[in-house]
Amino acid sequence: MNLETVTGMVLSAMPIGEYDKRLVILTKEFGRISAFAKGARKPNSVLLAPSQPFAFGFFTLYQGRSSYTVNSADIQNYFEELRTDLEKIAYGMYFCEVAAHLTYENVEAAGILKLLYQSLRALNKEKLPKEMVRSIFEIKVLDFNGETPRVFECVKCRKKPTAESRKFYAGFSSKAGGMVCSCCREGVPDILKISETTIYTLQYIISSKVEKLFTFLLKKPYDLELKQVAAQYMEYYTDGNFQSLEMLKDCLQ
């Protein structure tokens, strides 16, 4: 039997037949994979708890010709705190859906897996606004996916602001791919005017390790500016048609 042990998180689970489940797992080693958890719906199954969304740990898999089968699991974190709060569940499911959308089988996904794990942890920090956690996640996940916004210079002319040029930037453009200076703004229709604080925040998110992302707070209106940038960037670089967003919208109403 060809067994592989991987580090991963269950993104979603679907019932199959009478007792089984089909899991989508984001793994460090193999990216996003599908795996069958046989008997996982039985009340006494050892795979019952490990086959729930958000379960993070080590999965031992049997690799068949066309699919994986979960042989056993050693779960390090079930994120039980999320399961008692509908709003946290909605944010968590959205993060998982985005991660599933942006990853592929046999394509390394260690960065996005670590980001997903730390983002779920951040949802349990009462001092951190959940919308800010979402904005940070959206910007960083697109950074890991190769759509890094250019926020240290003008994306058009590649010039950087000087100490004397306080009004150097006209704003942020998702279509252009980052910050646009005042001289290059002509012909860029989606400019968002943002403050220096928000520009610095974007620079911090892009340049920081995942473990350092959720260590600051933003006051108004900077949190709203960051939310605008993240929402516009996500809409431009993904189709934006995530089912979990409907659940999230219902929770926030």
Side-chain angles (χ1 to χ4, degrees), residues 11 18 23 34 39 91-92 95 99 101 104 165 175 196 222 224:
L11 302 181
E18 190 174 357
L23 310 180
S34 294
Y91 276 104
F95 295 166
H101 180 76
Y104 304 89
S165 56
K175 186 175 182 180
E196 289 185 22
Y222 311 122
L224 298 177

Side-chain angles (χ1 to χ4, degrees), residues 122 124-129 132 216-217:
N124 284 317
K125 296 181 179 180
E126 297 303 324
K127 292 183 179 180
L128 280 178
M132 193 183 82
F216 65 92
L217 288 172

